[in-house]
Amino acid sequence: MKISVLTVCWNSAATIRHTIDSFLAQDYGDKELVVIDGNSSDETLSIVRSYPSNHIRLVSEPDSGMYDALNKGLRLYIGDAVGVLNSDDCFHDRTVLGRISAGLETADIVHGDLDFVEDHLSKRVVRRWRAAARPAKGFRTGWMPAHPTFYVRRKVADAVGAFDLSLKVASDYDWMLRAVELHGFQTAATGHVLVDMMQGGKSTNGIRSQVGHNIEALHSRRKWLGSGAVDYALIAKPARKIGQFITAGRRP
């Protein structure tokens, strides 16, 4: 099974080496990294091109933001499965793609645990996201997978289609909701940390972005699940994250 990893970047020179190094370090050989660059003006392109690997493909051109770039990646990837690794994130260890491949032998979608880290040198964990199996009512309960750990078979990506560009910070949530809730695909959690994520991403950087994400997520549930103007998940989804901060100081 060939696994494709999509990395969107724009002026990511400060972090993208960590991302690429963690991909190349994977002990799983049947892989590709598709780097979709938004016409960076810093050293990002020279850094990516400095890796002489036939496992890496680079596309650089202007885009309309992260989700537009991801849609390009969905049109370009050639693997049997696909997922996303942000340009300031890293695979947790060298076994991640192998674990994903093993999970996809019996499921259509796999996801796993995620550590939010202060940086990729100290690896100081500031928040721990521990994946749970999908509950009976799924996204209606406030449950969701961590998108940087979310990998799907090609048939899932084909069925779900493009990221919704009308959503500014929660199009990944909307895409996962459609994948899990609308098509009957089988989902499984790996039970392992798959990604170290830098704290402060587009949907996690402060109260304002969290509120925006929750409003857009509600819009998605109303559209696809028939939720009301206010639903249970509007409270339960942010409440589920409280425990991630409480456990951050504990060893996994």
Side-chain angles (χ1 to χ4, degrees):
M1 175 185 293
K2 189 178 193 70
I3 300 178
S4 296
V5 180
L6 308 181
T7 293
V8 169
C9 60
W10 181 73
N11 289 348
S12 302
T15 58
I16 198 166
R17 283 191 188 278
H18 298 292
T19 306
I20 296 174
D21 287 343
S22 76
F23 167 81
L24 292 176
Q26 294 299 298
D27 59 14
Y28 187 83
D30 201 1
K31 60 191 177 185
E32 70 161 349
L33 179 68
V34 184
V35 180
I36 310 104
D37 176 77
N39 201 21
S40 289
S41 59
D42 67 355
E43 297 301 312
T44 299
L45 292 175
S46 62
I47 291 171
V48 176
R49 290 169 177 150
S50 72
Y51 288 86
S53 172
N54 56 13
H55 290 295
I56 300 174
R57 289 193 288 148
L58 170 64
V59 176
S60 181
E61 60 187 19
D63 57 48
S64 299
M66 177 177 68
Y67 299 125
D68 181 38
L70 284 175
N71 283 340
K72 292 180 185 179
L74 289 177
R75 295 191 293 268
L76 290 170
Y77 84 95
I78 61 174
D80 305 297
V82 65
V84 175
L85 184 65
N86 298 319
S87 62
D88 53 358
D89 299 341
C90 296
F91 288 125
H92 182 69
D93 60 36
R94 63 196 302 269
T95 70
V96 170
L97 290 184
R99 294 184 188 280
I100 289 168
S101 176
L104 289 172
E105 292 296 328
T106 55
D108 303 308
I109 299 169
V110 298
H111 61 100
D113 299 346
L114 179 148
D115 283 348
F116 289 85
V117 298
E118 191 172 88
D119 58 72
H120 291 303
L121 295 177
S122 71
K123 292 293 186 182
R124 189 178 80 83
V125 177
V126 296
R127 177 178 163 195
R128 300 186 191 277
W129 184 314
R130 294 299 175 257
R134 179 189 180 276
K137 294 186 178 180
F139 278 71
R140 293 177 177 85
T141 69
W143 173 88
M144 63 175 285
H147 185 245
T149 74
F150 194 80
Y151 281 73
V152 304
R153 286 182 168 271
R154 178 174 282 275
K155 66 179 181 181
V156 178
D158 289 346
V160 176
F163 286 83
D164 184 346
L165 300 187
S166 72
L167 300 173
K168 303 307 179 186
V169 292
S171 192
D172 47 358
Y173 175 94
D174 176 82
W175 202 92
M176 291 190 296
L177 182 151
R178 287 184 279 147
V180 172
E181 303 290 355
L182 302 186
H183 302 283
F185 291 120
Q186 185 177 359
T187 304
T190 66
H192 299 274
V193 178
L194 301 183
V195 172
D196 295 336
M197 181 176 184
M198 287 273 284
Q199 180 73 1
K202 190 170 184 179
S203 64
T204 62
N205 190 14
I207 297 297
R208 187 173 183 177
S209 63
Q210 291 280 359
V211 170
H213 187 277
N214 284 324
I215 290 172
E216 288 192 356
L218 174 61
H219 171 84
S220 179
R221 294 192 300 275
R222 292 177 66 184
K223 180 177 181 178
W224 300 112
L225 304 180
S227 297
V230 176
D231 65 358
Y232 174 77
L234 184 64
I235 304 301
K237 187 170 84 68
R240 282 174 174 265
K241 296 179 181 179
I242 295 173
Q244 297 174 8
F245 293 95
I246 294 172
T247 60
R250 303 176 189 170
R251 297 183 68 83

